[in-house]
Amino acid sequence: MFADLLSTVTAFIAQHPHAAYAVVFLFAMSESLPGIGVVVPGTAIILGVSALVPSGVVKLWPMLGATISGAIVGDGLSFWLGHRYQRRLLAIWPMSRYPDIAEKGEAFFRRHGDKSVFLARFIPGVRAVVPLFAGIVGMPVWRFYLANTLSALAWAVSHVLPAVFVGAAIAQLGEAAKPLAVLVALVILLVWLSWKLVRLALGYGVPRLVRLLAQTRGWARRGEGAIARTVSGLLGQTPSDAIVLLTAGGLVVGAAWMFLGILEDVVNGDPLVRADSSVFQGLKALRTETGDVVMVTLTELGDTAVVTAVTAAALVLLVLWRAWRSATFLLIAVAGGALVNTVIKGTLHRVRPGDMEYRGWSAFSFPSGHSTSNAILYGFLAVIIARQVHPAFRLPIAFAATLLALSIAISRVYLGAHWFSDVAAGLSFGMLWLTAVSFVYLRGGNEAVPPRLLASVVGLALVAAGAVNIDRSHTADMRRYAVHSTSIVTSEKAWLDGGWKQLPDRRVDLTGEIEEPFTLQIAGSLPEIENALVASGWKRPPPWFASITAWLSPNPGPDHLPVFPLLASGRVPDLVMIRSDPSAARSRLVLRLWQSELSVSDGETRPLWLASVLNERLSTIAWLATRTKSEEDYSIPRNTVSASFKAVTPVARSQSTASWDGKVDLVVASYGMPISPGSSDENSEGR
């Protein structure tokens, strides 16, 4: 499905290259418009289209021209608005929605003067308001457009050319590039969301927390009685004491709630456990040789040997510096967290997703030791270092520690060394333990520690120990974490006599919820299956990119709407077909096929596919758009599909219900010729 989407986008741009350049121009311009530039993902669009340059569907020089001209026009329009409407514009929507960004933009312009027009182009947020303030304060036009043009040239080149090189690299990787690109996009999205959440918490959460604490402290001091005295004592003497207390309390409660919730789901086998399998299968489909090398390297940076080496190096420095309290708490944090993690593993005995050649208590997976140990180690080191540096450097330090721990955690899920819930539980327990230890540590005296020296020692220890561990273990780890084929070949007779029972009976979505039944198992190649279905009136649905606007039509034909790519255990369908329902004008059947782990052989081995068929009804929303709703009737749609084949064996899977008769049709697609569409309808009605 991802390959189909990429091909569709490429084909559309190839047929409409001028539209692609116009889109790039508009998004480059919108990045500089006040209010709009804050929310429009212009950079992402420009990077995505630029990556298509090596394929030839768009040209480099028109691409650069559209980006540069759009950037110049956007800044110029913002400058004119500021010159024309002055500060009145700040009180008008959408600028009125972002007063903090306006303040930052004005402060940036006041601090850097004329050169701020050039610098702001490369700084998200303020770049949409600095040209506005240049117009408000009356910056000379010729100086503005000189800085504007130079910044647009530098900005366009720094965005377009790297994306072109990435596109060329993807072209060299061939088919492996598609899953790798999806994986990289998911990781980037996760990192971006983490950064945004941290910024949101610091920009909006902390100021509101400070105001709430001030009001609560004032009430406690004015009040009388035991409750007021208790609250006043807990909140401390200064606002910073109260912020530390409430933040630590909130983190402990949140992390404990998450860990215990995951633990309950794992013990009781709730939907999260089924979601584990979906995530495992989904990431397995995205794995490539290049991705494996990167993820194995990351996981080796989080191995016990590296964690021990980094901890020892930090302890030696702290002891030599006579920072006894910091050294003691670092040892308690790392060793205590690892001990509790191991005890939980030994108690639950949860099996890993695959045989990873782990021995002893390491053979158990819940919670993830890599996730726990690295979150605690680098989190507590960040606490020690951040306490000694200027507040402006604390956010980058915290983000660097979070990114390293998060990358190691992601590598464990990607490589199949842990279930997703193992890693989520490891991170939540690590946060719980880290917060508790850090709170007690921060409540004590501010022990002098050399922050730059400690950061340098930790970094050197990580690089040195990581390099040694990678050199020693990489070859063996690549074998350990390699994808092992789980395909099972059985005879056709064994499959028909009961082997079909080994396969799942229902689709499980990404959240672990059980959905519609697999009412067919089809043996054969995809071309054989598709040819038989096409002969009976089935066809592929229209591609998403070319037909997405059909949803905004009040009365589109069933064949004109794209199909939602439902997931089964984390995997997108390998084949999707649709067929209009002749008995209803606004109805269609949707067939989705996923390859199973079973293959059928009778001299020639054929893959075996699990199929679900849904009847979708179309309805109009307020005369403006169309939506689809799946009917809970699984038997008649199955019969319609089976009528396209001759070799069909019905078997009973479960008891009959109102929505499903409990039967599954076993189909051999390569036997005989498909029957005509007319006969298909008669057969489906007669069954």
Side-chain angles (χ1 to χ4, degrees):
M1 291 296 292
F2 288 116
D4 292 342
L5 179 60
L6 182 62
S7 300
T8 304
V9 173
T10 304
F12 178 83
I13 294 177
Q15 294 172 7
H16 308 89
H18 299 297
Y21 301 135
V23 168
V24 168
F25 173 86
L26 291 174
F27 275 100
M29 181 181 70
S30 67
E31 288 255 313
S32 301
L33 296 180
I36 299 175
V38 178
V39 295
V40 170
T43 299
I45 300 296
I46 293 169
L47 292 175
V49 178
S50 299
L52 297 174
V53 169
S55 66
V57 296
V58 292
K59 305 299 181 184
L60 175 60
W61 293 112
M63 183 71 197
L64 280 170
T67 307
I68 293 170
S69 57
I72 292 174
V73 171
D75 267 19
L77 181 57
S78 180
F79 176 77
W80 177 83
L81 289 171
H83 178 75
R84 174 68 175 80
Y85 295 101
Q86 296 295 306
R87 290 186 173 273
R88 298 193 303 274
L89 191 66
L90 301 179
I92 302 174
W93 186 91
M95 283 302 299
S96 60
R97 293 285 306 276
Y98 306 100
D100 53 334
I101 294 178
E103 293 175 5
K104 291 179 181 178
E106 182 174 12
F108 188 86
F109 184 82
R110 300 289 184 188
R111 184 165 62 251
H112 297 287
D114 293 353
K115 64 178 180 290
S116 64
V117 176
F118 183 93
L119 298 174
R121 178 82 70 180
F122 302 90
I123 303 176
V126 298
R127 69 169 159 228
V129 292
V130 164
L132 180 72
F133 283 103
I136 290 175
V137 301
M139 180 178 177
V141 174
W142 71 269
R143 287 215 306 254
F144 170 79
Y145 273 101
L146 176 61
N148 180 17
T149 303
L150 292 176
S151 67
L153 287 169
W155 182 77
V157 170
S158 66
H159 282 65
V160 173
L161 291 187
V164 170
F165 293 142
V166 170
I170 289 175
Q172 291 295 322
L173 290 172
E175 289 298 316
K178 296 171 183 176
L180 181 61
V182 174
L183 179 65
V184 170
L186 291 174
V187 173
I188 292 174
L189 178 62
L190 182 60
V191 172
W192 180 82
L193 287 174
S194 301
W195 176 259
K196 285 293 184 182
L197 288 174
V198 171
R199 293 287 299 271
L200 183 65
L202 293 177
Y204 294 93
V206 172
R208 286 163 175 75
L209 180 61
V210 170
R211 288 197 295 270
L212 176 62
L213 288 174
Q215 295 170 358
T216 306
R217 185 181 291 103
W219 167 82
R221 288 175 178 175
R222 291 190 304 269
E224 297 180 357
I227 296 178
R229 290 193 298 270
T230 302
V231 171
S232 180
L234 285 175
L235 294 181
Q237 300 300 318
T238 65
S240 60
D241 292 337
I243 291 175
V244 169
L245 174 65
L246 289 187
T247 302
L251 288 174
V252 166
V253 171
W257 174 80
M258 179 176 289
F259 176 75
L260 293 175
I262 296 172
L263 177 62
E264 180 185 12
D265 283 359
V266 169
V267 172
N268 295 333
D270 285 345
L272 179 60
V273 176
R274 295 191 292 270
D276 280 339
S277 178
S278 297
V279 173
F280 174 75
Q281 294 295 340
L283 289 175
K284 187 176 178 181
L286 295 178
R287 292 186 60 171
T288 64
E289 184 177 351
T290 304
D292 286 359
V293 171
V294 173
M295 291 299 178
V296 168
T297 301
L298 284 173
T299 212
E300 287 168 341
L301 290 178
D303 283 348
T304 302
V306 179
V307 170
T308 303
V310 173
T311 305
L315 285 173
V316 169
L317 175 63
L318 293 173
V319 169
L320 292 176
W321 202 264
R322 298 186 181 279
W324 304 109
R325 191 168 183 276
S326 298
T328 302
F329 273 89
L330 175 61
L331 186 61
I332 291 173
V334 177
L339 177 62
V340 176
N341 179 279
T342 303
V343 170
I344 297 174
K345 278 188 175 183
T347 302
L348 291 183
H349 285 206
R350 192 186 191 191
V351 181
R352 292 178 183 268
D355 183 11
M356 297 290 177
E357 302 176 5
Y358 285 100
R359 298 293 179 263
W361 284 13
S362 295
F364 306 125
S365 68
F366 185 91
S368 165
H370 275 68
S371 303
T372 300
S373 298
N374 287 277
I376 293 173
L377 170 61
Y378 297 108
F380 192 75
L381 288 173
V383 169
I384 297 176
I385 295 171
R387 194 180 193 187
Q388 307 293 324
V389 301
H390 189 276
F393 297 103
R394 290 174 182 172
L395 177 59
I397 291 171
F399 181 72
T402 302
L403 184 60
L404 177 58
L406 192 61
S407 299
I408 293 171
I410 291 172
S411 73
R412 304 303 287 169
V413 184
Y414 172 90
L415 295 172
H418 283 285
W419 301 107
F420 170 76
S421 58
D422 298 337
V423 170
L427 290 174
S428 58
F429 171 71
M431 178 60 67
L432 171 63
W433 185 262
L434 171 65
T435 304
V437 175
S438 298
F439 175 72
V440 178
Y441 171 73
L442 292 174
R443 296 287 287 181
N446 190 1
E447 190 175 48
V449 175
R452 294 183 180 179
L453 182 59
L454 178 58
S456 300
V457 168
V458 168
L460 289 173
L462 174 62
V463 172
V468 171
N469 189 48
I470 292 170
D471 180 67
R472 183 189 60 170
S473 309
H474 196 71
T475 302
D477 284 342
M478 288 297 292
R479 289 196 301 268
R480 169 187 286 187
Y481 297 117
V483 177
H484 300 288
S485 174
T486 55
S487 178
I488 302 172
V489 179
T490 186
S491 67
E492 182 181 315
K493 183 177 185 303
W495 168 53
L496 295 173
D497 287 347
W500 56 272
K501 296 179 182 178
Q502 303 175 29
L503 299 179
D505 60 339
R506 287 179 175 267
R507 181 176 67 86
V508 178
D509 67 14
L510 194 59
T511 63
E513 295 297 329
I514 299 176
E515 303 294 345
E516 77 277 2
F518 292 122
T519 53
L520 294 104
Q521 295 183 16
I522 307 177
S525 67
L526 279 185
E528 291 172 332
I529 297 171
E530 185 172 358
N531 289 339
L533 291 169
V534 168
S536 297
W538 293 80
K539 63 181 181 180
R540 289 200 180 227
W544 262 95
F545 190 78
S547 57
I548 192 170
T549 55
W551 293 101
L552 302 178
S553 173
N555 191 28
D559 296 345
H560 298 155
L561 287 175
V563 172
F564 286 102
L566 302 181
L567 301 181
S569 297
R571 295 182 294 130
V572 296
D574 296 280
L575 178 66
V576 179
M577 303 287 286
I578 61 173
R579 178 180 170 180
S580 297
D581 187 348
S583 62
R586 307 204 70 194
S587 177
R588 66 179 181 180
L589 300 180
V590 180
L591 169 68
R592 298 177 177 89
L593 274 74
W594 292 268
Q595 186 170 359
S596 73
E597 297 179 350
L598 197 65
S599 296
V600 175
S601 176
D602 59 344
E604 177 185 355
T605 302
R606 299 180 179 87
L608 190 61
W609 309 86
L610 295 171
S612 81
V613 200
L614 296 175
N615 186 359
E616 290 187 347
R617 301 281 181 179
L618 279 60
S619 60
T620 303
I621 306 174
W623 302 281
L624 296 174
T626 298
R627 67 177 179 181
T628 59
K629 181 180 179 181
S630 298
E631 300 289 326
E632 292 189 0
D633 178 9
Y634 309 121
S635 303
I636 294 178
R638 175 207 59 209
N639 296 342
T640 305
V641 176
S642 299
S644 302
F645 305 93
K646 284 191 173 180
V648 179
T649 304
V651 293
R653 166 71 85 174
S654 63
Q655 293 183 349
S656 176
T657 64
S659 59
W660 181 35
D661 60 12
K663 295 180 180 178
V664 176
D665 282 353
L666 310 181
V667 178
V668 180
S670 58
Y671 283 1
M673 296 295 292
I675 58 182
S676 65
S679 301
S680 171
D681 294 337
E682 293 172 6
N683 259 359
S684 66
E685 292 173 2
R687 285 186 56 175

